[in-house]
Amino acid sequence: MPAIFAAKYALLRPVTTPFAPLPNDLASAHAMILAQRAALIAAQSEAKVGALEIERLKLLLAKARREQFGQSSERGKLLVEQLELAIEDLEETQAEEETKAEIAAPKAAAQTRQRAPRGPRKLPDDLPVERVVEPAPCACGKCGGLRLRKLGEVVSKTLECEPRRWKIVERVREKFACRDCEAITEPPAPSHPIPRGFAGPSLLAMILVGKFGDHLPLNRQSAAFAREGIELDVSTLADWVGGCVAALDPILAELRGHVLAAERLHVDDSVLRKHAERMICMV
């Protein structure tokens, strides 16, 4: 925290001391001006980052208090989500300011960095690793000698994601004719999640998770698919979702029976009460 406050009020300190000797030649004066300009840019960036860090900590504290002492209702959940969005915006702005400072003065930014770069909390152990070996140098970078021997290697890791890949799966059922009775035999047709459905189970699962899990309407999913070169109308997606809902009815019935078999149920009816109040006001 002292470093944050020092960075915040760095602009209040003079960029040069009164006892510092001034250069006599023009080249030294230009060099001093450039150095003072870089120091000023770094101080301004540090002040912005420090102020953003204070605001982020305030929002984190408010979010923690809301989760601990706030009401466990739909309104409380919405407030927590709004705080999380505000924290996200502040962290993005903070990262932007730090990156600008690092581009302007890389050495100074590396020395005054206040926090470690954020990364994933924990990656799966079975995540595939792609090893890329850079071309080895052919000559010494200092003297130009050609007699080089390997001492070791420096490994830097980068988390990467490949865009989803669309494909057509052709299921071939070969037909065979019997030489004895001339009858034609072929394997049975594969089952589909929905009758006469062109979409595979993985695509249907992705659409359902996007609609009901990630709250992505079908029109946004259709636009996202179009950007990838796959034209799927909203009506087509709606037909697929309706077919999946009908196919999942037996599972839903089993879940309903299991839940209603309990002696008592604990539910939050605040959403239902608010919806009823709105309906009454509309009437």
Side-chain angles (χ1 to χ4, degrees):
M1 292 302 292
I4 295 177
F5 285 103
K8 182 177 181 180
Y9 297 103
L11 292 178
L12 301 180
R13 300 194 303 264
V15 292
T16 56
T17 60
F19 304 101
L22 297 177
N24 297 325
D25 57 320
L26 185 60
S28 300
H30 284 172
M32 176 176 286
I33 293 174
L34 293 177
Q36 296 296 336
R37 181 184 297 175
L40 180 61
I41 293 175
Q44 291 176 344
S45 177
E46 288 178 5
K48 291 181 181 178
V49 171
L52 291 173
E53 180 68 16
I54 293 175
E55 295 298 327
R56 189 178 73 89
L57 294 176
K58 288 181 179 179
L59 288 175
L60 286 175
L61 181 59
K63 178 175 176 289
R65 288 176 176 173
R66 171 63 61 177
E67 291 178 347
Q68 184 176 3
F69 304 108
Q71 298 178 355
S72 59
S73 60
E74 190 69 19
R75 177 177 174 81
K77 294 179 182 179
L78 292 177
L79 290 176
V80 172
E81 291 178 357
Q82 291 176 0
L83 288 174
E84 290 178 348
L85 290 176
I87 293 172
E88 179 183 344
D89 293 337
L90 281 177
E91 289 179 345
E92 291 176 359
T93 308
Q94 184 179 7
E96 179 184 356
E97 294 297 334
E98 290 181 352
T99 304
K100 289 181 179 179
E102 189 173 357
I103 294 175
K107 295 183 179 179
Q111 294 176 357
T112 59
R113 179 177 289 274
Q114 299 175 5
R115 62 174 177 85
R118 296 186 181 96
R121 296 180 179 178
K122 190 179 185 308
L123 296 177
D125 297 332
D126 57 347
L127 199 65
V129 178
E130 179 182 352
R131 182 178 173 87
V132 179
V133 180
E134 301 292 340
C138 300
C140 177
K142 184 176 182 181
C143 67
L146 300 179
R147 297 190 302 168
L148 302 178
R149 59 187 179 90
K150 183 177 179 180
L151 295 178
E153 59 185 20
V154 179
V155 180
S156 58
K157 296 183 179 180
T158 304
L159 182 63
E160 188 58 274
C161 176
E162 295 181 356
R164 56 189 175 195
R165 183 171 58 93
W166 296 84
K167 63 181 180 180
I168 297 293
V169 179
E170 291 185 351
R171 301 187 181 275
V172 181
R173 293 176 291 146
E174 296 180 340
K175 296 182 179 181
F176 294 89
C178 180
R179 293 175 181 252
D180 298 331
C181 63
E182 298 299 330
I184 298 177
T185 304
E186 65 180 55
S191 60
H192 297 279
I194 53 179
R196 300 180 303 277
F198 179 71
S202 298
L203 176 57
L204 293 175
M206 182 179 65
I207 294 173
L208 292 178
V209 171
K211 177 177 175 58
F212 299 107
D214 299 334
H215 307 288
L216 287 176
L218 295 181
N219 58 339
R220 293 186 180 180
Q221 295 193 47
S222 176
F225 297 156
R227 288 195 301 268
E228 301 175 11
I230 305 298
E231 299 288 343
L232 294 175
D233 297 334
V234 177
S235 59
T236 301
L237 298 179
D239 291 341
W240 291 349
V241 170
C244 290
V245 171
L248 295 174
D249 271 343
I251 300 179
L252 181 60
E254 291 294 330
L255 289 175
R256 184 184 293 110
H258 175 72
V259 171
L260 297 180
E263 295 182 358
R264 61 179 62 88
L265 297 177
H266 300 277
V267 296
D268 182 10
D269 60 344
S270 59
V271 180
L272 298 177
R273 284 189 281 104
K274 290 184 178 296
H275 181 68
E277 292 174 0
R278 292 172 186 163
M279 294 298 294
I280 292 175
C281 293
M282 292 176 60
V283 175

